Amino acid sequence: MRDPVGKLLLFGATGDLAQRMLLPSLYGLHADGLLPEGLTITGTARSDHDDVSYRKFAKHALDEFLPEDRKDDKAVKTFLDRIGYQALDASKVEGFPALAEKVGDVSGGLAIFLSTAPFLFEPTIKGLESAGLAGPRTRIGLEKPLGYDLASSKEINDAVAIAFPEDRTFRIDHYLGKETVQNILALRFGNSFFEPVWNAQGIDNIQITVAETVGLEERAGYYDTAGALRDMVANHILQLVALIAMEPPARFDGTAIRDEKAKVFRSLRRIKPEEAPHVTVTGQYGAGAVNGEIVKSYIDELGKPSTTETFVAIKAHVDNWRWQGVPFYLRTGKRMPTRHSEIAIQFKAVPHSMFASRGGLLQPNMLIIRLQPEEYVQLLVMAKEPGLDRDGIRLREVPLNLSLDAEFAGTRRRIAYERLLLDLIEGDPTLFVRRDEVEAQWEWIDAIRAGWVANDMKPKPYGSGTWGPSAAIALTERDGVTWQDD
Ligand code: BG6
């Protein structure tokens, strides 16, 4: 049951995420009348603002990051009226009473959005608790990075759990807020014809690609300590694996969905140290050209030597009855030739081709779920080429296209954080990540990292604007599989 709160407290209120995503998302909800009436928003960060200067700051963020057709002077003004600000050094408990005073009466419920450096989690939770901001009607949303391995993630989870029980802890993976990611559930469980072939009998292999054209951006401090495996695979890509691989949940609710996802994470085949060089590939971008623009190498952008990977490819397996023998090829990288996220499901070839002797080559069917930047679902099927060929019929692979962009053209696509902030404010945990999921994800990721260390694996160089090191191509080609590239 949804249980909206009356107050929202935003940590990291002057950060990049707040400017690009959180403020525009909250504005979007406000402008559409979706925020609870009377909900007030308190921003907090170290920066020295008062209400007036923070509202200016927020206005500037909206000017910069809202699409033109969403800007409405009246809605912007009423939105800014909801916002206040309190400066805080979260590492010191002394500042929290003033924050609590600023937030005011929380008997109507409080939602906290915490996006902060990992070392601040513990003091922040202590500060909130000591100032009476962690009562039974407070829920907390936690933004990544939630640790950098299983041990540190447990530490953070333990620190949070002292003040917030699991049912009031909302771990954010913004991929789960994306419409297209939720659409995987709709496709799989809202249609009857996929399920009978959605298994090792029907599917040959699955590829998941999250390719980005950007490089380090302004995030050197964080990214260089994380790398592609922790930054993208440990959360977003594994969530995609879970949605593709999970058993049908009985209900669309937080318990049923997360139970099934957690089972997938626990079924991931642990990669042994000696296997790591064969089933994982890491890379780091060198200089090159992306979309016609000459870009620097990672090391030059960073300004110092580094062995952090900006690309990773993995051959993974889900060891259960449904997926036995089906490889999941996962890959993600910065400075790729295009920005796209896609899941490609290759079905088994037909058992016998009656066209074989007639020069008609059959391609196995493939289902492509394009998550971004375009949103579509494409089923590649074999069709007869028109013509009067005397030596039999000629076949060609053609796409059966469902363009979600076109189909829902009149509907505004929301930022993933609109969904997640609304669910945090209203208390629906379905699209948030449970502790057992996070810990099972880290267990699998830690084993891979241990393999890299044991084998002294260093990232292989690849040119910016390419699909990663050639070893990543060999990873699938060895199995007779080709990555779906654009
Ligand atoms: C973030 C990562 O979680 O996701 C970034 O930290 C990455 O490195 C981003 O760029 C990608 O998100 P999206 O929504 O642009 O695919």
Side-chain angles (χ1 to χ4, degrees):
M1 207 188 59
R2 290 189 171 246
D3 173 26
V5 294
K7 307 243 153 134
L8 177 67
L9 173 56
L10 270 190
F11 279 81
T14 54
D16 195 55
L17 185 72
Q19 294 178 66
R20 283 171 189 273
M21 299 289 169
L22 305 182
L23 290 166
S25 296
L26 288 167
Y27 167 81
L29 295 172
H30 167 86
D32 292 346
L34 295 171
L35 289 181
E37 216 184 311
L39 176 109
T40 58
I41 302 170
T42 307
T44 182
R46 280 177 79 115
S47 315
D48 201 13
H49 280 293
D50 57 20
D51 290 354
V52 175
S53 67
Y54 185 68
R55 283 183 193 138
K56 268 199 196 130
F57 174 92
K59 165 92 171 49
H60 187 73
L62 298 183
D63 285 345
E64 193 163 348
F65 295 111
L66 275 183
E68 279 312 312
D69 62 344
R70 291 291 297 162
K71 290 179 187 162
D72 173 310
D73 288 348
K74 192 163 159 248
V76 169
K77 187 183 170 311
T78 48
F79 173 65
L80 295 175
D81 285 346
R82 286 182 185 263
I83 302 184
Y85 183 87
Q86 176 71 36
L88 173 80
D89 175 354
S91 67
K92 299 200 175 84
V93 77
E94 301 86 77
F96 281 84
L99 178 66
E101 199 173 312
K102 182 78 193 177
V103 173
D105 176 18
V106 289
S107 58
L110 170 68
I112 299 173
F113 186 103
L114 190 54
S115 95
T116 185
F119 76 94
L120 283 176
F121 271 111
E122 208 177 326
T124 305
I125 300 293
K126 283 195 177 133
L128 287 169
E129 207 184 10
S130 70
L133 287 174
R137 289 226 56 210
T138 303
R139 56 182 80 107
I140 191 160
L142 304 174
E143 179 61 64
K144 77 180 247 268
L146 294 177
Y148 48 88
D149 60 5
L150 179 61
S152 57
S153 139
K154 277 189 167 161
E155 255 174 52
I156 291 175
N157 283 326
D158 285 345
V160 173
I162 291 174
F164 297 94
E166 185 62 29
D167 64 342
R168 293 196 275 117
T169 303
F170 289 58
R171 292 180 198 78
I172 290 159
D173 183 315
H174 80 278
Y175 266 55
L176 294 177
K178 290 180 191 268
E179 298 274 13
T180 40
V181 171
Q182 293 158 39
N183 200 33
I184 298 171
L185 295 176
L187 269 184
R188 280 196 62 195
F189 305 123
N191 297 292
S192 61
F193 55 88
F194 289 122
E195 189 53 24
V197 287
W198 206 265
N199 50 45
Q201 283 70 51
I203 292 177
D204 185 82
N205 68 81
I206 293 174
Q207 301 179 16
I208 301 182
T209 296
V210 178
E212 298 186 278
T213 50
V214 293
L216 193 49
E217 298 179 286
E218 307 291 298
R219 308 161 72 219
Y222 154 72
Y223 192 86
D224 197 53
T225 58
L229 182 70
R230 289 172 171 137
D231 184 47
M232 297 294 285
V233 183
N235 34 65
H236 311 322
I237 292 193
L238 284 185
Q239 286 292 333
L240 296 179
V241 170
L243 296 177
I244 291 293
M246 73 203 229
E247 295 301 313
R251 286 173 306 280
F252 188 76
D253 72 26
T255 305
I257 299 233
R258 296 186 300 175
D259 282 352
E260 295 307 338
K261 283 196 294 161
K263 280 189 217 160
V264 173
F265 298 132
R266 288 197 289 267
S267 310
L268 283 169
R269 186 184 300 168
R270 184 186 278 250
I271 294 175
K272 299 196 189 93
E274 63 275 21
E275 292 167 342
H278 310 294
V279 298
T280 71
V281 174
T282 62
Q284 189 188 73
Y285 62 82
V290 181
N291 291 334
E293 191 197 326
I294 306 291
V295 295
K296 289 186 194 168
S297 69
Y298 179 76
I299 300 280
D300 282 345
E301 258 185 82
L302 188 66
K304 59 174 188 185
S306 165
T307 55
T308 297
E309 81 286 355
T310 60
F311 173 94
V312 60
I314 302 173
K315 179 180 173 184
H317 283 93
V318 177
D319 268 341
N320 61 18
W321 192 303
R322 183 186 285 261
W323 295 113
Q324 211 38 243
V326 180
F328 284 66
Y329 300 104
L330 317 177
R331 99 184 139 157
T332 182
K334 303 266 187 208
R335 294 290 192 220
M336 304 269 98
T338 62
R339 170 178 184 257
H340 81 255
S341 301
E342 186 176 283
I343 301 169
I345 293 158
Q346 187 174 319
F347 292 94
K348 289 256 157 83
V350 295
H352 164 73
S353 170
M354 69 173 189
F355 308 103
S357 60
R358 304 288 189 137
L361 252 191
L362 288 189
Q363 299 291 339
N365 299 128
M366 183 176 271
L367 180 73
I368 296 176
I369 306 174
R370 172 69 76 129
L371 305 172
Q372 60 188 25
E374 315 86 352
E375 297 176 26
Y376 60 75
V377 181
Q378 212 174 51
L379 183 63
L380 301 180
V381 297
M382 299 307 295
K384 181 190 175 306
E385 258 188 42
L388 299 175
D389 297 304
R390 293 201 174 79
D391 56 349
I393 66 173
R394 289 193 179 281
L395 301 179
R396 185 149 51 103
E397 187 179 59
V398 290
L400 203 61
N401 268 326
L402 165 61
S403 162
L404 297 159
D405 290 325
E407 206 55 48
F408 300 109
T411 315
R412 174 168 80 84
R413 290 304 196 280
R414 292 185 182 273
I415 309 169
Y417 283 95
E418 285 184 68
R419 163 95 264 164
L420 299 177
L421 282 163
L422 186 66
D423 288 354
L424 172 68
I425 289 166
E426 296 189 346
D428 182 344
T430 312
L431 299 176
F432 295 84
V433 187
R434 216 166 52 187
R435 177 169 183 161
D436 56 341
E437 291 182 72
V438 178
E439 295 187 354
Q441 291 174 335
W442 277 123
E443 242 179 279
W444 189 71
I445 294 288
D446 282 0
I448 296 176
R449 293 199 62 85
W452 293 353
V453 172
N455 295 283
D456 197 22
M457 270 174 74
K458 298 279 181 300
K460 297 180 166 59
Y462 63 94
S464 283
T466 70
W467 286 104
S470 54
I473 299 172
L475 179 76
T476 59
E477 294 289 341
R478 273 203 297 274
D479 300 341
V481 173
T482 303
W483 287 109
Q484 268 296 110
D485 289 342
D486 264 10

